[in-house]
């Protein structure tokens, strides 16, 4: 029966060799009733396997952070639950794709959300941001009062965002973010989706951890320095229960290549994913995506803007025999800064999503990678023109979901699609 269905899908117009055994069908995204929505975050409930979703919704001026879940892969959703923001706290939530909320599912119905607020500072071009946190211990029915994770709240307002978060150990959390405390002229937000072609001070990656899934937190500590200041940090849990980080490092000569390292105490030394040697005078606002697998491999997707090599790339590292070569997902002279997502598959491969075409237009693409790190196929999501900042979640062996910020006229609109996976 599965073989017959696979043949039907191919005959319906998805060339099997080109699509890598993927079929994509649109889903209706949930809504709390406001006209605009953006910045999805996806996770999977460890106990039930439900799909978890968080997003920002509002009227373009005041935004609210919501959460909901689906038990059938995104067809039906529970009523949205407010986590934070709204009319009483207009600075609490604000869409920012490169620094959008991170949703973490832990054991025992525990769920966590980490996001930056947006604080207007007179005389500053860009707002400041405090890194905020809320958790649920009943599967998302109720949420704790938000607290601030950065511990320099009494000093000058600065940027604390472009963050990652992961479940660690038995019931712990790890959070990493780009921090500009102490920087004389911080540039906290930059151009969302664009690039600042001017000298910018580097950011420092700060770390915080919780042994009890957010009930208590350790003091902030420095993880790494010389980070590109507006390219997000990604965190993922490895097979040993530790957090692994990926970010864009600023090397001498304005080289801005992607690195990975373990979040230990002390943290490990960063290792370059691939020697792109991309020299750029500012911050491109495009951090890497990271997923880890049970076999110890790390799946990394990133943007390279070096002339002649512009595009999105994938590499599988940490496997026997050393690091695999970079695999081209989309490339072209017009491919500007773009934003990836990646998840590991049970067969040892991975799914990657990105938001740019070879001609430089915004559109959501999905690529499937084999266990050996090679490209199995690529597809474009229908009706995703103008879409950006995709997120992915994988549900079992044969199903995944992609969500992104789409456009409805001049307004952002949450969009989703289901990805059926065939062998």
């Amino acid at each position: 029966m599965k073989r017959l269905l696979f043949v039907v899908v191919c005959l319906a117009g998805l060339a099997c060799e080109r699509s890598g055994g993927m079929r994509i069908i649109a889903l209706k995204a949930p809504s709390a009733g406001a006209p605009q929505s953006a910045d999805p975050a996806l996770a999977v409930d460890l106990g039930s396997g439900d799909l978890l979703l968080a997003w920002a919704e509002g009227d373009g001026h005041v935004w609210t952070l919501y959460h909901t879940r689906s038990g059938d892969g995104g067809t039906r959703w529970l009523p949205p639950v407010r986590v934070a923001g709204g009319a009483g706290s207009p600075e609490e939530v604000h869409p920012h794709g490169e620094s959008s909320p991170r949703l973490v599912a832990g054991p025992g119905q525990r769920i966590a959300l980490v996001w930056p607020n947006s604080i207007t500072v007179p005389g500053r071009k860009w707002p400041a941001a405090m890194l905020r946190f809320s958790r649920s211990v009943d599967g998302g029915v109720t949420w704790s009062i938000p607290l601030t994770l950065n511990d320099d709240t009494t000093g000058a307002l600065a940027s604390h965002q472009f963050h990652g978060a992961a479940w660690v150990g038995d019931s712990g959390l790890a959070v990493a973010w780009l921090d500009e405390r102490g920087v004389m002229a911080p540039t906290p937000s930059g151009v969302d989706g664009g690039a600042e072609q001017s000298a910018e001070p580097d950011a420092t990656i700060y770390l915080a951890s919780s042994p009890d899934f957010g009930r208590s937190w350790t003091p902030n500590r420095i993880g790494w320095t010389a980070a590109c200041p507006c390219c997000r940090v990604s965190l993922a849990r490895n097979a040993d229960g530790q957090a692994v980080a990926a970010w864009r490092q600023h090397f001498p000569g304005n080289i801005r290549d992607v690195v990975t390292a373990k979040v230990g105490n002390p943290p490990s030394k960063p290792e370059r994913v691939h020697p792109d040697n991309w020299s750029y005078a500012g911050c491109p606002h495009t951090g890497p995506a990271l997923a880890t697998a049970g076999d110890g491999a790390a799946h990394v997707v990133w943007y390279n803007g070096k002339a002649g090599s512009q595009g999105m790339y994938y590499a599988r590292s940490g496997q026997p025999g050393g690091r695999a070569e970079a695999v081209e997902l989309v490339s072209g002279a017009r491919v500007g800064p773009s934003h990836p997502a990646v998840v590991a598959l049970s067969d040892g491969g991975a799914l990657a999503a990105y938001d740019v075409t070879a001609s430089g237009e915004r559109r959501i693409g999905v690529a499937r990678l084999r266990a050996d790190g090679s490209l199995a196929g690529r597809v474009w999501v229908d009706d995703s023109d103008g879409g950006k900042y995709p997120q992915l979640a994988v549900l079992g062996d044969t199903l995944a979901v992609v969500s992104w910020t789409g456009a409805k006229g001049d307004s952002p609109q949450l969009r989703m699609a289901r990805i059926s996976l065939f062998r």
Side-chain angles (χ1 to χ4, degrees), residues 385-396:
D385 291 355
K388 55 186 179 179
Y389 297 105
Q391 296 293 305
L392 285 166
V394 61
L395 303 163

Side-chain angles (χ1 to χ4, degrees), residues 41-86:
L42 297 173
V44 178
D45 187 291
L46 299 180
S48 66
D50 287 356
L51 178 65
L52 306 178
L53 170 69
W55 74 102
E57 186 170 318
D59 60 6
H61 302 284
V62 177
W63 296 85
T64 302
L65 182 61
Y66 289 101
H67 172 268
T68 187
R69 67 168 58 221
S70 171
D72 58 6
T75 300
R76 293 170 296 181
W77 298 89
L78 293 180
V81 175
R82 176 188 171 276
V83 178

